[in-house]
PDB file of all heavy atoms in Angstrom:
ATOM      1  N   GLU A   4       0.866  -1.179   0.000  1.00  0.00           N
ATOM      2  CA  GLU A   4       0.000   0.000   0.000  1.00  0.00           C
ATOM      3  C   GLU A   4       0.907   1.235   0.000  1.00  0.00           C
ATOM      4  O   GLU A   4       1.654   1.446   0.958  1.00  0.00           O
ATOM      5  CB  GLU A   4      -0.887  -0.006   1.247  1.00  0.00           C
ATOM      6  CG  GLU A   4      -1.943   1.074   1.279  1.00  0.00           C
ATOM      7  CD  GLU A   4      -2.837   0.931   2.494  1.00  0.00           C
ATOM      8  OE1 GLU A   4      -3.697   0.021   2.487  1.00  0.00           O
ATOM      9  OE2 GLU A   4      -2.671   1.709   3.447  1.00  0.00           O
ATOM     10  N   PRO A   5       0.873   2.029  -1.050  1.00  0.00           N
ATOM     11  CA  PRO A   5       1.788   3.174  -1.153  1.00  0.00           C
ATOM     12  C   PRO A   5       1.726   4.081   0.078  1.00  0.00           C
ATOM     13  O   PRO A   5       0.643   4.400   0.581  1.00  0.00           O
ATOM     14  CB  PRO A   5       1.298   3.904  -2.408  1.00  0.00           C
ATOM     15  CG  PRO A   5       0.651   2.826  -3.230  1.00  0.00           C
ATOM     16  CD  PRO A   5      -0.006   1.907  -2.236  1.00  0.00           C
ATOM     17  N   GLY A   6       2.899   4.453   0.577  1.00  0.00           N
ATOM     18  CA  GLY A   6       2.998   5.352   1.718  1.00  0.00           C
ATOM     19  C   GLY A   6       2.882   4.686   3.065  1.00  0.00           C
ATOM     20  O   GLY A   6       3.108   5.326   4.097  1.00  0.00           O
ATOM     21  N   ARG A   7       2.545   3.408   3.083  1.00  0.00           N
ATOM     22  CA  ARG A   7       2.329   2.729   4.353  1.00  0.00           C
ATOM     23  C   ARG A   7       3.641   2.283   5.002  1.00  0.00           C
ATOM     24  O   ARG A   7       3.739   2.205   6.229  1.00  0.00           O
ATOM     25  CB  ARG A   7       1.414   1.528   4.139  1.00  0.00           C
ATOM     26  CG  ARG A   7       0.935   0.865   5.422  1.00  0.00           C
ATOM     27  CD  ARG A   7       0.004  -0.303   5.131  1.00  0.00           C
ATOM     28  NE  ARG A   7      -0.542  -0.857   6.357  1.00  0.00           N
ATOM     29  CZ  ARG A   7      -1.652  -0.447   6.946  1.00  0.00           C
ATOM     30  NH1 ARG A   7      -2.346   0.537   6.389  1.00  0.00           N
ATOM     31  NH2 ARG A   7      -2.074  -0.993   8.069  1.00  0.00           N
ATOM     32  N   ALA A   8       4.646   1.971   4.185  1.00  0.00           N
ATOM     33  CA  ALA A   8       5.888   1.413   4.720  1.00  0.00           C
ATOM     34  C   ALA A   8       6.550   2.345   5.723  1.00  0.00           C
ATOM     35  O   ALA A   8       7.018   1.907   6.784  1.00  0.00           O
ATOM     36  CB  ALA A   8       6.851   1.099   3.577  1.00  0.00           C
ATOM     37  N   GLU A   9       6.588   3.631   5.410  1.00  0.00           N
ATOM     38  CA  GLU A   9       7.247   4.595   6.296  1.00  0.00           C
ATOM     39  C   GLU A   9       6.536   4.658   7.644  1.00  0.00           C
ATOM     40  O   GLU A   9       7.172   4.708   8.709  1.00  0.00           O
ATOM     41  CB  GLU A   9       7.272   5.977   5.651  1.00  0.00           C
ATOM     42  CG  GLU A   9       8.144   6.078   4.410  1.00  0.00           C
ATOM     43  CD  GLU A   9       7.488   5.506   3.165  1.00  0.00           C
ATOM     44  OE1 GLU A   9       6.277   5.138   3.216  1.00  0.00           O
ATOM     45  OE2 GLU A   9       8.182   5.424   2.125  1.00  0.00           O
ATOM     46  N   GLN A  10       5.209   4.660   7.622  1.00  0.00           N
ATOM     47  CA  GLN A  10       4.434   4.711   8.860  1.00  0.00           C
ATOM     48  C   GLN A  10       4.673   3.453   9.700  1.00  0.00           C
ATOM     49  O   GLN A  10       4.861   3.532  10.919  1.00  0.00           O
ATOM     50  CB  GLN A  10       2.944   4.843   8.540  1.00  0.00           C
ATOM     51  CG  GLN A  10       2.561   6.111   7.794  1.00  0.00           C
ATOM     52  CD  GLN A  10       1.104   6.106   7.363  1.00  0.00           C
ATOM     53  OE1 GLN A  10       0.321   5.244   7.756  1.00  0.00           O
ATOM     54  NE2 GLN A  10       0.735   7.078   6.541  1.00  0.00           N
ATOM     55  N   MET A  11       4.675   2.303   9.037  1.00  0.00           N
ATOM     56  CA  MET A  11       4.878   1.049   9.762  1.00  0.00           C
ATOM     57  C   MET A  11       6.288   0.960  10.333  1.00  0.00           C
ATOM     58  O   MET A  11       6.478   0.503  11.467  1.00  0.00           O
ATOM     59  CB  MET A  11       4.605  -0.138   8.831  1.00  0.00           C
ATOM     60  CG  MET A  11       3.148  -0.335   8.480  1.00  0.00           C
ATOM     61  SD  MET A  11       2.889  -1.713   7.324  1.00  0.00           S
ATOM     62  CE  MET A  11       3.565  -3.102   8.253  1.00  0.00           C
ATOM     63  N   ALA A  12       7.268   1.387   9.563  1.00  0.00           N
ATOM     64  CA  ALA A  12       8.652   1.334  10.040  1.00  0.00           C
ATOM     65  C   ALA A  12       8.825   2.190  11.280  1.00  0.00           C
ATOM     66  O   ALA A  12       9.520   1.808  12.231  1.00  0.00           O
ATOM     67  CB  ALA A  12       9.603   1.790   8.938  1.00  0.00           C
ATOM     68  N   ALA A  13       8.179   3.352  11.299  1.00  0.00           N
ATOM     69  CA  ALA A  13       8.275   4.235  12.452  1.00  0.00           C
ATOM     70  C   ALA A  13       7.548   3.648  13.655  1.00  0.00           C
ATOM     71  O   ALA A  13       8.062   3.649  14.782  1.00  0.00           O
ATOM     72  CB  ALA A  13       7.700   5.606  12.110  1.00  0.00           C
ATOM     73  N   TYR A  14       6.347   3.116  13.418  1.00  0.00           N
ATOM     74  CA  TYR A  14       5.551   2.563  14.526  1.00  0.00           C
ATOM     75  C   TYR A  14       6.220   1.349  15.147  1.00  0.00           C
ATOM     76  O   TYR A  14       6.265   1.200  16.373  1.00  0.00           O
ATOM     77  CB  TYR A  14       4.152   2.201  14.018  1.00  0.00           C
ATOM     78  CG  TYR A  14       3.279   1.565  15.067  1.00  0.00           C
ATOM     79  CD1 TYR A  14       2.752   2.311  16.113  1.00  0.00           C
ATOM     80  CD2 TYR A  14       2.976   0.196  15.018  1.00  0.00           C
ATOM     81  CE1 TYR A  14       1.945   1.736  17.080  1.00  0.00           C
ATOM     82  CE2 TYR A  14       2.175  -0.390  15.987  1.00  0.00           C
ATOM     83  CZ  TYR A  14       1.666   0.381  17.016  1.00  0.00           C
ATOM     84  OH  TYR A  14       0.879  -0.192  17.974  1.00  0.00           O
ATOM     85  N   HIS A  15       6.731   0.467  14.309  1.00  0.00           N
ATOM     86  CA  HIS A  15       7.348  -0.768  14.796  1.00  0.00           C
ATOM     87  C   HIS A  15       8.849  -0.619  15.059  1.00  0.00           C
ATOM     88  O   HIS A  15       9.499  -1.595  15.428  1.00  0.00           O
ATOM     89  CB  HIS A  15       7.117  -1.895  13.776  1.00  0.00           C
ATOM     90  CG  HIS A  15       5.683  -2.306  13.666  1.00  0.00           C
ATOM     91  ND1 HIS A  15       5.019  -3.001  14.651  1.00  0.00           N
ATOM     92  CD2 HIS A  15       4.773  -2.114  12.666  1.00  0.00           C
ATOM     93  CE1 HIS A  15       3.778  -3.228  14.281  1.00  0.00           C
ATOM     94  NE2 HIS A  15       3.593  -2.702  13.079  1.00  0.00           N
ATOM     95  N   LYS A  16       9.367   0.590  14.846  1.00  0.00           N
ATOM     96  CA  LYS A  16      10.780   0.881  15.107  1.00  0.00           C
ATOM     97  C   LYS A  16      11.691  -0.114  14.371  1.00  0.00           C
ATOM     98  O   LYS A  16      12.557  -0.757  14.977  1.00  0.00           O
ATOM     99  CB  LYS A  16      11.067   0.878  16.608  1.00  0.00           C
ATOM    100  CG  LYS A  16      10.308   1.962  17.370  1.00  0.00           C
ATOM    101  CD  LYS A  16      10.615   1.904  18.848  1.00  0.00           C
ATOM    102  CE  LYS A  16      10.019   3.104  19.577  1.00  0.00           C
ATOM    103  NZ  LYS A  16       8.540   3.166  19.489  1.00  0.00           N
ATOM    104  N   GLN A  17      11.466  -0.215  13.060  1.00  0.00           N
ATOM    105  CA  GLN A  17      12.182  -1.180  12.243  1.00  0.00           C
ATOM    106  C   GLN A  17      13.305  -0.537  11.439  1.00  0.00           C
ATOM    107  O   GLN A  17      13.116   0.501  10.808  1.00  0.00           O
ATOM    108  CB  GLN A  17      11.211  -1.860  11.272  1.00  0.00           C
ATOM    109  CG  GLN A  17      10.190  -2.755  11.940  1.00  0.00           C
ATOM    110  CD  GLN A  17      10.836  -3.920  12.638  1.00  0.00           C
ATOM    111  OE1 GLN A  17      11.414  -4.797  12.007  1.00  0.00           O
ATOM    112  NE2 GLN A  17      10.741  -3.943  13.955  1.00  0.00           N
ATOM    113  N   ASN A  18      14.463  -1.184  11.469  1.00  0.00           N
ATOM    114  CA  ASN A  18      15.562  -0.817  10.585  1.00  0.00           C
ATOM    115  C   ASN A  18      15.606  -1.731   9.367  1.00  0.00           C
ATOM    116  O   ASN A  18      16.212  -1.394   8.351  1.00  0.00           O
ATOM    117  CB  ASN A  18      16.900  -0.884  11.326  1.00  0.00           C
ATOM    118  CG  ASN A  18      17.004   0.158  12.428  1.00  0.00           C
ATOM    119  OD1 ASN A  18      16.584   1.291  12.231  1.00  0.00           O
ATOM    120  ND2 ASN A  18      17.537  -0.227  13.578  1.00  0.00           N
ATOM    121  N   ARG A  19      14.971  -2.912   9.472  1.00  0.00           N
ATOM    122  CA  ARG A  19      14.904  -3.831   8.338  1.00  0.00           C
ATOM    123  C   ARG A  19      13.915  -3.302   7.303  1.00  0.00           C
ATOM    124  O   ARG A  19      13.132  -2.384   7.583  1.00  0.00           O
ATOM    125  CB  ARG A  19      14.496  -5.230   8.804  1.00  0.00           C
ATOM    126  CG  ARG A  19      13.167  -5.259   9.545  1.00  0.00           C
ATOM    127  CD  ARG A  19      12.711  -6.671   9.875  1.00  0.00           C
ATOM    128  NE  ARG A  19      13.721  -7.476  10.532  1.00  0.00           N
ATOM    129  CZ  ARG A  19      13.924  -7.502  11.855  1.00  0.00           C
ATOM    130  NH1 ARG A  19      13.190  -6.715  12.653  1.00  0.00           N
ATOM    131  NH2 ARG A  19      14.835  -8.285  12.387  1.00  0.00           N
ATOM    132  N   GLU A  20      13.920  -3.887   6.130  1.00  0.00           N
ATOM    133  CA  GLU A  20      13.002  -3.463   5.070  1.00  0.00           C
ATOM    134  C   GLU A  20      11.555  -3.725   5.480  1.00  0.00           C
ATOM    135  O   GLU A  20      11.209  -4.806   5.961  1.00  0.00           O
ATOM    136  CB  GLU A  20      13.305  -4.204   3.769  1.00  0.00           C
ATOM    137  CG  GLU A  20      12.397  -3.798   2.613  1.00  0.00           C
ATOM    138  CD  GLU A  20      12.683  -4.541   1.319  1.00  0.00           C
ATOM    139  OE1 GLU A  20      13.585  -5.411   1.318  1.00  0.00           O
ATOM    140  OE2 GLU A  20      12.007  -4.258   0.310  1.00  0.00           O
ATOM    141  N   VAL A  21      10.722  -2.720   5.299  1.00  0.00           N
ATOM    142  CA  VAL A  21       9.284  -2.833   5.540  1.00  0.00           C
ATOM    143  C   VAL A  21       8.584  -2.548   4.215  1.00  0.00           C
ATOM    144  O   VAL A  21       8.832  -1.519   3.578  1.00  0.00           O
ATOM    145  CB  VAL A  21       8.803  -1.848   6.622  1.00  0.00           C
ATOM    146  CG1 VAL A  21       7.299  -1.947   6.806  1.00  0.00           C
ATOM    147  CG2 VAL A  21       9.538  -2.091   7.938  1.00  0.00           C
ATOM    148  N   LEU A  22       7.715  -3.457   3.800  1.00  0.00           N
ATOM    149  CA  LEU A  22       7.056  -3.302   2.503  1.00  0.00           C
ATOM    150  C   LEU A  22       5.866  -2.363   2.568  1.00  0.00           C
ATOM    151  O   LEU A  22       5.625  -1.584   1.652  1.00  0.00           O
ATOM    152  CB  LEU A  22       6.608  -4.673   1.984  1.00  0.00           C
ATOM    153  CG  LEU A  22       7.707  -5.712   1.773  1.00  0.00           C
ATOM    154  CD1 LEU A  22       7.109  -7.040   1.306  1.00  0.00           C
ATOM    155  CD2 LEU A  22       8.746  -5.207   0.776  1.00  0.00           C
ATOM    156  N   GLY A  23       5.104  -2.439   3.663  1.00  0.00           N
ATOM    157  CA  GLY A  23       3.905  -1.628   3.785  1.00  0.00           C
ATOM    158  C   GLY A  23       2.660  -2.376   3.358  1.00  0.00           C
ATOM    159  O   GLY A  23       1.921  -1.938   2.472  1.00  0.00           O
ATOM    160  N   ILE A  24       2.407  -3.530   4.003  1.00  0.00           N
ATOM    161  CA  ILE A  24       1.255  -4.373   3.669  1.00  0.00           C
ATOM    162  C   ILE A  24       0.292  -4.379   4.849  1.00  0.00           C
ATOM    163  O   ILE A  24       0.691  -4.689   5.977  1.00  0.00           O
ATOM    164  CB  ILE A  24       1.699  -5.819   3.362  1.00  0.00           C
ATOM    165  CG1 ILE A  24       2.686  -5.834   2.185  1.00  0.00           C
ATOM    166  CG2 ILE A  24       0.493  -6.707   3.061  1.00  0.00           C
ATOM    167  CD1 ILE A  24       3.299  -7.209   1.935  1.00  0.00           C
ATOM    168  N   PRO A  25      -0.983  -4.062   4.642  1.00  0.00           N
ATOM    169  CA  PRO A  25      -1.961  -4.121   5.732  1.00  0.00           C
ATOM    170  C   PRO A  25      -2.081  -5.554   6.268  1.00  0.00           C
ATOM    171  O   PRO A  25      -2.027  -6.523   5.500  1.00  0.00           O
ATOM    172  CB  PRO A  25      -3.266  -3.666   5.076  1.00  0.00           C
ATOM    173  CG  PRO A  25      -2.835  -2.943   3.845  1.00  0.00           C
ATOM    174  CD  PRO A  25      -1.582  -3.596   3.385  1.00  0.00           C
ATOM    175  N   ASN A  26      -2.281  -5.686   7.568  1.00  0.00           N
ATOM    176  CA  ASN A  26      -2.340  -7.011   8.170  1.00  0.00           C
ATOM    177  C   ASN A  26      -3.480  -7.870   7.624  1.00  0.00           C
ATOM    178  O   ASN A  26      -3.291  -9.069   7.409  1.00  0.00           O
ATOM    179  CB  ASN A  26      -2.445  -6.903   9.696  1.00  0.00           C
ATOM    180  CG  ASN A  26      -1.968  -8.159  10.388  1.00  0.00           C
ATOM    181  OD1 ASN A  26      -0.886  -8.674  10.093  1.00  0.00           O
ATOM    182  ND2 ASN A  26      -2.754  -8.645  11.323  1.00  0.00           N
ATOM    183  N   PRO A  27      -4.681  -7.315   7.375  1.00  0.00           N
ATOM    184  CA  PRO A  27      -5.741  -8.160   6.798  1.00  0.00           C
ATOM    185  C   PRO A  27      -5.336  -8.776   5.458  1.00  0.00           C
ATOM    186  O   PRO A  27      -5.670  -9.938   5.181  1.00  0.00           O
ATOM    187  CB  PRO A  27      -6.916  -7.188   6.636  1.00  0.00           C
ATOM    188  CG  PRO A  27      -6.684  -6.151   7.690  1.00  0.00           C
ATOM    189  CD  PRO A  27      -5.197  -5.969   7.722  1.00  0.00           C
ATOM    190  N   ALA A  28      -4.632  -8.022   4.631  1.00  0.00           N
ATOM    191  CA  ALA A  28      -4.191  -8.556   3.343  1.00  0.00           C
ATOM    192  C   ALA A  28      -3.157  -9.655   3.541  1.00  0.00           C
ATOM    193  O   ALA A  28      -3.165 -10.676   2.836  1.00  0.00           O
ATOM    194  CB  ALA A  28      -3.611  -7.430   2.490  1.00  0.00           C
ATOM    195  N   LEU A  29      -2.277  -9.466   4.517  1.00  0.00           N
ATOM    196  CA  LEU A  29      -1.265 -10.480   4.814  1.00  0.00           C
ATOM    197  C   LEU A  29      -1.927 -11.746   5.355  1.00  0.00           C
ATOM    198  O   LEU A  29      -1.539 -12.871   5.011  1.00  0.00           O
ATOM    199  CB  LEU A  29      -0.274  -9.919   5.828  1.00  0.00           C
ATOM    200  CG  LEU A  29       1.052 -10.661   6.008  1.00  0.00           C
ATOM    201  CD1 LEU A  29       1.826 -10.717   4.696  1.00  0.00           C
ATOM    202  CD2 LEU A  29       1.885  -9.986   7.095  1.00  0.00           C
ATOM    203  N   ASN A  30      -2.953 -11.577   6.176  1.00  0.00           N
ATOM    204  CA  ASN A  30      -3.685 -12.732   6.708  1.00  0.00           C
ATOM    205  C   ASN A  30      -4.337 -13.534   5.586  1.00  0.00           C
ATOM    206  O   ASN A  30      -4.296 -14.767   5.578  1.00  0.00           O
ATOM    207  CB  ASN A  30      -4.773 -12.268   7.683  1.00  0.00           C
ATOM    208  CG  ASN A  30      -4.210 -11.826   9.014  1.00  0.00           C
ATOM    209  OD1 ASN A  30      -3.105 -12.212   9.393  1.00  0.00           O
ATOM    210  ND2 ASN A  30      -4.961 -11.020   9.733  1.00  0.00           N
ATOM    211  N   GLU A  31      -4.968 -12.829   4.654  1.00  0.00           N
ATOM    212  CA  GLU A  31      -5.671 -13.499   3.558  1.00  0.00           C
ATOM    213  C   GLU A  31      -4.698 -14.256   2.660  1.00  0.00           C
ATOM    214  O   GLU A  31      -4.963 -15.389   2.244  1.00  0.00           O
ATOM    215  CB  GLU A  31      -6.461 -12.475   2.745  1.00  0.00           C
ATOM    216  CG  GLU A  31      -7.434 -13.088   1.751  1.00  0.00           C
ATOM    217  CD  GLU A  31      -8.560 -13.865   2.404  1.00  0.00           C
ATOM    218  OE1 GLU A  31      -8.885 -13.575   3.575  1.00  0.00           O
ATOM    219  OE2 GLU A  31      -9.109 -14.789   1.752  1.00  0.00           O
ATOM    220  N   LEU A  32      -3.560 -13.644   2.388  1.00  0.00           N
ATOM    221  CA  LEU A  32      -2.567 -14.284   1.529  1.00  0.00           C
ATOM    222  C   LEU A  32      -2.012 -15.542   2.192  1.00  0.00           C
ATOM    223  O   LEU A  32      -1.956 -16.611   1.561  1.00  0.00           O
ATOM    224  CB  LEU A  32      -1.424 -13.308   1.232  1.00  0.00           C
ATOM    225  CG  LEU A  32      -0.287 -13.859   0.361  1.00  0.00           C
ATOM    226  CD1 LEU A  32      -0.793 -14.251  -1.018  1.00  0.00           C
ATOM    227  CD2 LEU A  32       0.846 -12.832   0.250  1.00  0.00           C
ATOM    228  N   THR A  33      -1.614 -15.445   3.440  1.00  0.00           N
ATOM    229  CA  THR A  33      -1.014 -16.600   4.114  1.00  0.00           C
ATOM    230  C   THR A  33      -2.045 -17.699   4.385  1.00  0.00           C
ATOM    231  O   THR A  33      -1.694 -18.877   4.417  1.00  0.00           O
ATOM    232  CB  THR A  33      -0.330 -16.181   5.423  1.00  0.00           C
ATOM    233  OG1 THR A  33      -1.250 -15.429   6.240  1.00  0.00           O
ATOM    234  CG2 THR A  33       0.895 -15.320   5.144  1.00  0.00           C
TER     235      THR A  33
END
């Protein structure tokens, strides 16, 4: 989801690559 990666990286305090995928979409895919 465009623009989501930056928000997620900040919220989760991530230095690793963050793609920016909503959790419901990740749940459905897996």
Side-chain angles (χ1 to χ4, degrees):
E4 187 176 285
R7 189 179 185 89
E9 293 79 7
Q10 298 173 9
M11 289 178 60
Y14 177 73
H15 292 289
K16 297 179 172 62
Q17 292 296 293
N18 294 319
R19 57 174 51 87
E20 181 181 1
V21 178
L22 300 178
I24 301 173
N26 203 49
L29 195 59
N30 285 338
E31 191 65 25
L32 179 62
T33 52

